[in-house]
Amino acid sequence: MKLWGGRFSKDTNEIMKKFNSSFYTDKRLYKQDIKGSIAHVRMLGKVNILSTEEVDKIINGLEGILKDIEEGSLKLEGDYEDIHSFVEVNLLERIGETAKKLHTSRSRNDQVAVDMKMFVKDEVLNTVFKIDNLIECLIKKGRENEYLMPGFTHLQPAQVITFRYHLMAYVEMLKRDKKRLLNALNILDESPLGSCALAGTTNEIDREFTARELGFRCITKNYLDSVSDRDYLIEILSAFSILMMHLSRLSEEIIIWSTPQFRFVTLSDEYSTGSSLMPQKKNPDSLELIRGKTGRVYGGLINILTTLKALPLAYNKDMQEDKECFFDALDTVNICIDVMTGVIDTMKVNKEEMLKSLKKGYINATEVADYLVKKGVPFRDAHEIVGRIVLYCEKTNRAIEDLKLEELKSFSEEIEEDIYEYIEYSNILKKGNKKYILMEVE
């Protein structure tokens, strides 16, 4: 049974049936579709469009379909145009002609709009929960490993920080990601149900009732916009893309840190793979896949932006393409967060290797300049002096703190014995606003 066809004299071409069907994508919405239909039927009973007996019969049938799907006795398979026709056909088989009253004062346009919003609300909250887990994992790993390490700019050693502080930078990024998703959920929290195809219905229905039943904050104001709005998917895919960019950056750093050249961390075997040729290899494939899948999520955002960019109001079949890219991005983001949480939780942090790396790159050079400023030397002159000191260190293959006082004084008479204490790595983080690097700020 099709949900349309009265004005057609020929059956749909078989190729067109396959081309037109979205069932194997949107069947994922079965729970929301049934929940939305139950709320719609209750509303039809409330406004006396359906009798109490009809309402009870339809709801019992819908609840039975949901129960059978959940228990596995009713399979989401078959030759259906979409999830809406699957539910309605199965309802007709169970309760007979009364099922045909289910769709009164409703279009598939507002039906799929409310289904998708309900699905997004449920699933994105789950993603937010996963982000919280990753945040807690990063905080815990940082607290357990508050070791000195070099911070980098241009991937060159720059200044001393701690491993915890480095991880906390990603905590801040993830907190913003969470805010973006929660803000998007707040914006989309308006029920489109009752908008029908694009211009409402001549029946006196109660949209506020269905909005309350389905847990929406309020109803949408414009029917045309209600059925054609997919801004919330764009916004969430954009937030997903930014989130994946953050995960990709973290992946790249851990990949670098895990190389034999750095050895800052050691990845667990659980999140590494080997080579079919080279027996010595331990590859960070978990992180490389996160880095690679970032482009996949970006693709979902570009997909939906391109689909919607020139569509006239109201609904167009192009909009059927919104689900596949969103579902794929959602699944990709969720598994990437889970994998990253596992990587962080199981990786070993190598304190001694990070301490050894502090000797490379003259990362206390800025503090030498600060020292000279405190002695009254203008910063630009101090900068020039320290540049010459670094050049001398490079020629003699030594760190700044390894130079003798006489050598340092040859660059500036302002340098005294107290410079060694001033530029000692652990002391650096106790001065000025660097103190915040050692503080618990969450």
Side-chain angles (χ1 to χ4, degrees):
M1 181 189 105
K2 290 189 291 191
L3 304 185
W4 52 272
R7 59 93 63 218
F8 289 79
S9 58
K10 290 185 179 180
D11 194 17
T12 311
N13 182 281
E14 287 302 314
I15 294 176
M16 180 57 189
K17 284 182 182 178
K18 292 180 181 178
F19 190 57
N20 186 54
S21 175
S22 62
F23 178 57
Y24 280 93
T25 298
D26 63 30
K27 66 181 182 180
R28 191 164 175 172
L29 301 173
Y30 75 89
K31 194 178 298 183
Q32 289 77 20
D33 195 73
I34 293 171
K35 184 179 178 181
S37 290
I38 289 172
H40 180 67
V41 169
R42 283 189 177 134
M43 182 275 296
L44 293 176
K46 177 179 179 291
V47 298
N48 298 316
I49 291 175
L50 295 182
S51 69
T52 301
E53 293 75 17
E54 289 170 328
V55 170
D56 290 343
K57 192 172 185 180
I58 294 173
I59 290 178
N60 287 337
L62 289 170
E63 289 176 342
I65 290 171
L66 179 59
K67 180 174 181 290
D68 290 348
I69 293 172
E70 299 278 301
E71 292 178 352
S73 58
L74 177 60
K75 304 294 184 184
L76 287 163
E77 56 190 25
D79 185 20
Y80 299 95
E81 185 176 342
D82 49 36
I83 186 60
H84 321 303
S85 56
F86 172 88
V87 172
E88 198 162 333
V89 167
N90 277 276
L91 185 64
L92 181 64
E93 291 174 355
R94 291 178 183 225
I95 70 171
E97 292 296 303
T98 306
K100 294 182 179 179
K101 297 188 177 185
L102 167 65
H103 211 53
T104 306
S105 299
R106 186 177 68 171
S107 165
R108 282 186 296 177
N109 293 359
D110 62 337
Q111 185 179 3
V112 72
V114 78
D115 287 1
M116 198 64 184
K117 280 193 169 185
M118 288 161 56
F119 178 86
V120 169
K121 286 174 67 177
D122 292 340
E123 293 298 322
V124 172
L125 281 176
N126 181 53
T127 303
V128 168
F129 175 75
K130 290 177 182 291
I131 292 172
D132 281 336
N133 285 341
L134 178 53
I135 287 173
E136 287 303 313
C137 187
L138 287 165
I139 292 172
K140 179 174 180 288
K141 184 63 66 170
R143 284 175 177 163
E144 293 170 349
N145 300 278
E146 192 160 1
Y147 308 136
L148 296 180
M149 68 173 288
F152 297 86
T153 62
H154 308 279
L155 206 54
Q156 302 293 316
Q159 290 185 286
V160 62
I161 58 171
T162 66
F163 184 74
R164 182 193 67 83
Y165 197 71
H166 199 122
L167 292 189
M168 288 302 295
Y170 286 98
V171 168
E172 293 302 311
M173 296 179 208
L174 290 167
K175 285 179 178 178
R176 293 194 297 272
D177 294 325
K178 177 181 173 180
K179 286 179 183 178
R180 273 184 280 267
L181 290 173
L182 291 175
N183 183 63
L185 289 178
N186 181 60
I187 293 172
L188 72 85
D189 200 16
E190 300 178 345
S191 173
L193 194 57
S195 301
C196 298
L198 77 160
T201 174
T202 55
N203 290 321
E204 293 291 339
I205 62 173
D206 188 341
R207 294 186 63 210
E208 284 82 3
F209 176 85
T210 51
R212 288 193 300 270
E213 285 283 296
L214 297 174
F216 285 96
R217 176 169 48 86
C218 61
I219 60 171
T220 54
K221 303 299 188 293
N222 184 286
Y223 301 140
L224 282 167
D225 178 56
S226 298
V227 298
S228 60
D229 168 36
R230 297 298 184 271
D231 290 3
Y232 63 96
L233 294 181
I234 296 172
E235 187 170 9
I236 291 170
L237 283 169
S238 176
F240 279 172
S241 295
I242 297 171
L243 168 59
M244 285 301 297
M245 177 268 291
H246 290 152
L247 294 182
S248 183
R249 293 180 73 179
L250 179 54
S251 295
E252 174 68 7
E253 294 212 284
I254 299 174
I255 289 168
I256 292 169
W257 291 346
S258 68
T259 61
Q261 289 75 22
F262 274 75
R263 302 178 193 268
F264 286 3
V265 300
T266 302
L267 297 183
S268 167
D269 290 354
E270 297 176 79
Y271 292 93
S272 307
T273 64
S275 166
S276 60
L277 173 66
M278 298 166 283
Q280 83 279 13
K281 294 298 292 297
K282 182 177 179 181
N283 299 325
D285 285 7
S286 54
L287 298 163
E288 290 173 2
L289 283 168
I290 292 173
R291 193 174 58 186
K293 288 178 184 294
T294 299
R296 183 171 180 158
V297 176
Y298 290 178
L301 174 59
I302 298 303
N303 183 328
I304 194 165
L305 282 169
T306 306
T307 297
L308 295 170
K309 73 177 181 63
L311 290 186
L313 295 177
Y315 183 83
N316 296 272
K317 194 70 169 183
D318 315 45
M319 296 169 75
Q320 184 169 288
E321 291 297 304
D322 65 350
K323 296 168 200 64
E324 197 162 1
C325 62
F326 181 80
F327 292 160
D328 184 74
L330 174 70
D331 293 341
T332 301
V333 166
N334 283 341
I335 194 168
C336 285
I337 297 173
D338 286 343
V339 169
M340 181 59 82
T341 303
V343 169
I344 298 295
D345 184 54
T346 58
M347 76 180 181
K348 178 179 178 291
V349 183
N350 302 321
K351 175 183 178 181
E352 295 306 318
E353 294 295 336
M354 288 193 291
L355 288 176
K356 281 194 292 185
S357 73
L358 291 175
K359 286 282 189 179
K360 304 171 184 176
Y362 316 106
I363 65 172
N364 51 6
T366 304
E367 282 66 43
V368 177
D370 290 343
Y371 171 88
L372 289 170
V373 168
K374 287 183 180 295
K375 296 287 186 174
V377 179
F379 178 75
R380 279 293 154 225
D381 293 340
H383 191 284
E384 175 71 21
I385 291 168
V386 178
R388 294 200 304 270
I389 292 174
V390 169
L391 188 61
Y392 178 76
C393 288
E394 286 180 336
K395 289 178 180 177
T396 59
N397 195 28
R398 286 185 290 170
I400 295 174
E401 64 271 20
D402 293 336
L403 298 181
K404 294 178 181 178
L405 182 59
E406 302 80 52
E407 292 174 290
L408 289 170
K409 288 182 76 66
S410 69
F411 294 97
S412 173
E413 284 298 325
E414 301 297 332
I415 298 176
E416 303 291 344
E417 186 71 35
D418 60 348
I419 191 171
Y420 294 106
E421 181 182 0
Y422 194 93
I423 65 172
E424 198 278 323
Y425 299 116
S426 60
N427 288 339
I428 287 172
L429 297 183
K430 299 173 184 176
K431 297 180 174 66
N433 70 0
K434 289 179 179 291
K435 292 190 290 286
Y436 291 101
I437 292 176
L438 298 176
M439 292 173 61
E440 284 285 324
V441 181
E442 296 168 16

